[in-house]
Amino acid sequence: LSSVHDPQPLSPSVRRTILSFRFLGVAARRVARMSRIQEMVMSSSGNYDYDLLVIGGGSGGLACSKEAAACGAKVAVCDFVTPTPQGTIWGLGGTCVNVGCIPKKLMHQACLLGEAIEDARSFGWEFDEKKSHNWELMVENVQNHVKLLNFRYRTELRTKKVEYLNARAVFVDQHTVELTDKKGKVTMKTAENFVVATGGRPKYLGLPNERELCITSDDLFSLQTPPGKTLVVGASYVALECAGFLAGLGYDTTVMMRSIPLRGFDQQMAEHICWYMGEHGVKFIRQCIPSSIEKTADGKIKVSWKPTNGEGEEQSDTYDTVLIAIGRYALTEECGAAKAGLNIHPSSKKLIGINEGIGHTEQTNVPNIFAIGDVLEGYPELTPVAIQAGRLLARRIFNNENKQMDYLNVPTAVFTPLEYGCCGYSEEDALKAFGEDNIEVYHAAYKPLELTVPARGDNAGYVKLIVHTADSERVVGMHYLGWNAGEVLQGFGLALKLKATKDDLDNLVGIHPTSAEIFTTLNITKRSGEDWQGDGC
């Protein structure tokens, strides 16, 4: 340092004094700048802890929180798993990752591989060892993959600058939640906006002893010992999927259903699934409900049941495992939704969207609180739906976008032993919506080429195309029973989104030899009464 006006060097004491003032000046400017930034943040967030707090760390909640953070919002996501009556808990990621779609499909794959081993002999593969399955090893490897996903989600939250709060959140008012962590420590957090993405948990029957003696899908995928002889109570897709892979892995499996299978799905397809499962060893007890559940002296579970209509004699049997899969309930009471003034559906206990405001479909009656995923009344309970809705909602709130979630014509798949993919109307709903005179149903049975050599699956595959004749035969429903159903319907789902007609499918050249190409060659209608059995290639 030197003086501009004096060429003589400055003394050390003067140099130190000048440097000190300069340092203080820089520090003062930094403090002033940080103060202005803090004022701006506090102003934008209304003195709240967060711009957005998401309650629920499932697929939808995580997608919404990360998207909001990418839009510049200060975001936190709360996630807490209450142990099941059997003590089962899991990590970040929600139902799909931990106790739903992911482990379910992996175990379904284990079942398919068992069939493929047998098919391999017909294709020339020779091996002497008797086929057997190791339940413990499968569970260990599936759970290792799940835990890897848990870790990945936590890492992504840190990368995206979303604060993760491993605590149960309960509303105190519309801007405040009380957080309780696993150690019982209680804190309060505030937010300008909330997204409720709590999802649901399995229902129970309401019988004595059931919580101590029975399991649900929350427990099955981490079960440490083989399930043995199993009774699956329920006819939901969860019930049939679990029963399907359990039977495929070699376990004596029975399904007890109160009324119809796969309520809400096309019933012809649902019954075809049950027929196929029955042909492959699954036993069905129809039109019955359990009346009591007891533990026997030898440690097994005795289940008694009676007809749903109350008529007929009570029957019973003993099982090693009883899996209850009769549906799910929304976790609105658990998060204190009523304390925030939210409107709750009296039957489903889900939150009611009002189709107004920036949240639109996901907007609750409280202006700053939104709902996505399984907790939202009247919309598909599907992981990709929650993810898409969450991302679009975050962009509307924090990025001034206006694109809304389209809940129509969402393709989905049921991973039963004979897989089922569908999009659009079921035949029953199409008849109600458009009238019998305005609906035509094209259909056909088929057998995949891959199953011809091992000589199995004759006419097990079946497809159905529902068209609206008064609207140029616009396709309003597609249904596919067979192998790789999810892969097939994912592509054809776009056709329904783009309002494709039967003529569009007729003009589409199929990929040969595939199962999906059958949609391009359908020419037999139910109304015609002609033979629809497949001829093969």
Side-chain angles (χ1 to χ4, degrees):
L1 292 172
S2 61
S3 170
V4 173
H5 304 289
D6 187 355
Q8 298 298 320
L10 298 175
S11 67
S13 60
V14 173
R15 286 172 179 269
R16 287 193 294 271
T17 301
I18 293 174
L19 287 171
S20 297
F21 275 112
R22 285 185 175 179
F23 174 80
L24 290 173
V26 171
R29 288 194 296 272
R30 286 179 178 173
V31 170
R33 185 166 65 250
M34 292 300 294
S35 178
R36 287 195 300 272
I37 292 174
Q38 186 175 17
E39 289 175 1
M40 290 170 62
V41 171
M42 295 295 284
S43 175
S44 65
S45 61
N47 296 326
Y48 299 113
D49 295 320
Y50 306 101
D51 299 317
L52 174 67
L53 193 148
V54 179
I55 304 177
S59 301
L62 293 178
C64 183
S65 65
K66 289 184 286 188
E67 192 69 27
C71 293
K74 184 180 181 183
V75 184
V77 58
C78 299
D79 189 65
F80 186 81
V81 178
T82 302
T84 72
Q86 304 299 325
T88 307
I89 58 173
W90 51 88
L92 181 64
T95 297
C96 176
V97 168
N98 293 282
V99 291
C101 319
I102 299 301
K104 177 268 305 289
K105 192 176 183 187
L106 290 174
M107 293 188 179
H108 170 63
Q109 174 67 7
C111 173
L112 297 181
L113 288 172
E115 292 182 332
I117 291 172
E118 293 301 320
D119 290 349
R121 300 181 191 274
S122 299
F123 287 93
W125 288 97
E126 297 178 348
F127 43 91
D128 297 328
E129 295 83 359
K130 181 181 178 181
K131 182 179 70 173
S132 63
H133 182 263
N134 186 323
W135 172 272
E136 293 91 338
L137 181 60
M138 177 189 69
V139 168
E140 179 184 355
N141 288 332
V142 168
Q143 289 302 311
N144 285 341
H145 177 66
V146 169
K147 288 179 174 60
L148 177 63
L149 295 177
N150 298 150
F151 176 76
R152 184 181 301 169
Y153 290 143
R154 295 188 66 166
T155 301
E156 285 181 353
L157 290 182
R158 287 197 298 269
T159 302
K160 302 290 185 181
K161 294 180 171 50
V162 175
E163 185 175 352
Y164 169 48
L165 304 171
N166 185 202
R168 179 184 176 187
V170 178
F171 279 109
V172 175
D173 56 46
Q174 70 181 73
H175 285 290
T176 310
V177 288
E178 178 184 88
L179 303 182
T180 306
D181 66 17
K182 61 183 179 181
K183 295 181 178 179
K185 181 181 178 182
V186 177
T187 56
M188 294 288 184
K189 293 291 184 180
T190 61
E192 184 172 8
N193 301 285
F194 286 89
V195 169
V196 180
T198 51
R201 295 289 288 268
K203 293 179 179 178
Y204 283 87
L205 294 161
L207 295 176
N209 307 316
E210 64 175 344
R211 292 177 181 265
E212 295 79 15
L213 299 179
C214 303
I215 65 171
T216 69
S217 56
D218 283 354
D219 307 293
L220 178 62
F221 304 110
S222 57
L223 200 63
Q224 295 302 300
T225 57
K229 181 181 177 182
T230 302
L231 173 67
V232 178
V233 181
S236 64
Y237 70 89
V238 174
L240 296 187
E241 288 175 335
C242 292
F245 73 69
L246 287 174
L249 296 177
Y251 300 105
D252 183 344
T253 306
T254 301
V255 174
M256 182 182 296
M257 60 176 70
R258 175 177 59 89
S259 54
I260 62 173
L262 293 178
R263 183 177 300 277
F265 289 89
D266 188 288
Q267 282 304 292
Q268 180 191 4
M269 312 304 272
E271 289 294 347
H272 196 105
I273 290 171
C274 291
W275 164 79
Y276 185 89
M277 291 176 65
E279 291 289 305
H280 288 74
V282 178
K283 297 182 286 290
F284 286 89
I285 302 174
R286 288 178 172 260
Q287 306 296 319
C288 288
I289 54 175
S291 53
S292 67
I293 301 173
E294 304 169 292
K295 191 170 185 177
T296 64
D298 59 355
K300 294 187 181 296
I301 304 170
K302 178 184 177 182
V303 179
S304 300
W305 64 85
K306 58 185 179 181
T308 306
N309 60 14
E311 302 176 0
E313 295 183 358
E314 186 176 71
Q315 301 181 62
S316 65
D317 200 355
T318 57
Y319 301 92
D320 298 305
T321 300
V322 177
L323 171 67
I324 298 177
I326 59 173
R328 301 173 68 83
Y329 68 94
L331 296 173
T332 48
E333 182 178 341
E334 286 75 2
C335 71
K339 293 181 181 178
L342 296 169
N343 286 341
I344 302 172
H345 192 278
S347 177
S348 69
K349 304 303 180 184
K350 295 184 177 186
L351 300 182
I352 300 173
I354 63 173
N355 295 314
E356 295 177 1
I358 193 170
H360 194 66
T361 308
E362 298 80 33
Q363 177 73 61
T364 71
N365 60 298
V366 179
N368 69 303
I369 302 179
F370 311 88
I372 60 172
D374 293 4
V375 78
L376 181 62
E377 169 64 24
Y379 297 96
E381 297 181 0
L382 299 169
T383 295
V385 168
I387 292 172
Q388 180 85 329
R391 286 173 177 163
L392 293 177
L393 175 62
R395 293 169 191 167
R396 293 200 303 276
I397 298 173
F398 297 107
N399 208 37
N400 296 319
E401 297 186 18
N402 55 22
K403 188 175 182 180
Q404 299 168 4
M405 176 64 192
D406 182 2
Y407 289 96
L408 296 177
N409 293 328
V410 175
T412 189
V414 180
F415 293 100
T416 40
L418 182 67
E419 296 176 5
Y420 172 36
C422 62
C423 185
Y425 285 88
S426 66
E427 186 174 348
E428 296 90 347
D429 289 343
L431 290 171
K432 291 177 184 178
F434 305 107
E436 185 176 356
D437 293 339
N438 295 317
I439 288 296
E440 193 71 83
V441 179
Y442 294 85
H443 67 151
Y446 72 96
K447 178 177 179 176
L449 177 65
E450 295 84 347
L451 300 186
T452 56
V453 173
R456 68 180 180 91
D458 290 344
N459 287 321
Y462 177 77
V463 299
K464 180 160 63 174
L465 188 73
I466 306 169
V467 301
H468 185 199
T469 55
D471 188 11
S472 303
E473 286 203 320
R474 177 171 60 88
V475 179
V476 296
M478 296 187 81
H479 300 266
Y480 174 98
L481 276 171
W483 293 261
N484 302 303
E487 310 298 335
V488 172
L489 258 294
Q490 180 66 76
F492 278 117
L494 182 62
L496 272 76
K497 283 285 188 183
L498 299 179
K499 303 184 186 304
T501 65
K502 176 64 167 61
D503 188 55
D504 291 326
L505 290 178
D506 291 342
N507 288 329
L508 178 66
V509 176
I511 301 174
H512 187 70
T514 64
S515 298
E517 67 177 312
I518 194 169
F519 277 119
T520 69
T521 59
L522 291 174
N523 57 14
I524 297 174
T525 67
K526 279 191 173 184
R527 200 188 306 270
S528 72
E530 296 179 21
D531 181 23
W532 47 272
Q533 301 294 319
D535 295 326
C537 176

